[in-house]
Amino acid sequence: MKETYTISRQWNRMENVRFIVGKESRMSNGVSIFLRRKLFFGNPKNKDSMMITIEISKPHKKDFDVACKVYIKGYREKMHEIFGVDDIDAIKNACLFVEKIFEGNDDVYWSDGSRYR
């Protein structure tokens, strides 16, 4: 039963991760967004919590590699460019980069109020 609950809870969290398509899916520099995730700094049940939006761009060719831009609104207001040997590697490295940023931070939550990690 606990296994079913864990899988169900993880599936519900996938609602916060989106494959983005459409005109409004652009970063501030005009780059197309590939993935978006919404988290909260502070428990979202409290009024003083702040939304964090993670955006990862579609992979693009950069010199001899492929790169994804990563922007984290509400936490680190800086655009990062993460590289890989191909599209999948660049996306994987961008996701790992985001995970490392929030690693060990107990103040980041999912929208359901559970801790991010």
Side-chain angles (χ1 to χ4, degrees):
M1 186 66 153
K2 185 177 181 178
E3 218 173 280
T4 303
Y5 174 74
T6 303
I7 292 169
S8 171
R9 195 167 168 173
Q10 289 171 345
W11 185 258
N12 287 339
R13 288 181 183 161
M14 286 303 293
E15 292 177 7
N16 292 318
V17 180
R18 297 277 186 254
F19 173 73
I20 307 296
V21 181
K23 293 178 187 171
E24 78 280 351
S25 57
R26 301 230 177 251
M27 292 181 170
S28 58
N29 63 352
V31 176
S32 295
I33 297 169
F34 182 66
L35 295 170
R36 180 181 287 147
R37 172 178 278 171
K38 294 191 181 204
L39 300 171
F40 289 86
F41 191 72
N43 193 321
K45 296 175 183 174
N46 300 334
K47 291 181 182 179
D48 59 345
S49 69
M50 184 173 63
M51 186 182 292
I52 300 168
T53 304
I54 302 161
E55 297 175 338
I56 298 176
S57 74
K58 291 181 179 176
H60 59 277
K61 193 82 170 146
K62 180 82 176 202
D63 300 324
F64 296 105
D65 293 318
V66 176
C68 287
K69 293 188 183 290
V70 177
Y71 186 54
I72 304 173
K73 294 179 190 175
Y75 191 76
R76 283 190 175 179
E77 301 291 329
K78 180 182 174 189
M79 188 76 67
H80 301 274
E81 197 160 39
I82 310 299
F83 292 87
V85 296
D86 60 16
D87 290 3
I88 292 173
D89 193 46
I91 292 166
K92 179 192 75 161
N93 291 341
C95 292
L96 288 172
F97 171 76
V98 169
E99 294 300 316
K100 285 290 183 188
I101 286 177
F102 294 116
E103 186 175 74
N105 189 331
D106 292 335
D107 294 327
V108 179
Y109 292 83
W110 290 99
S111 60
D112 68 0
S114 58
R115 290 194 192 270
Y116 180 59
R117 291 278 170 221

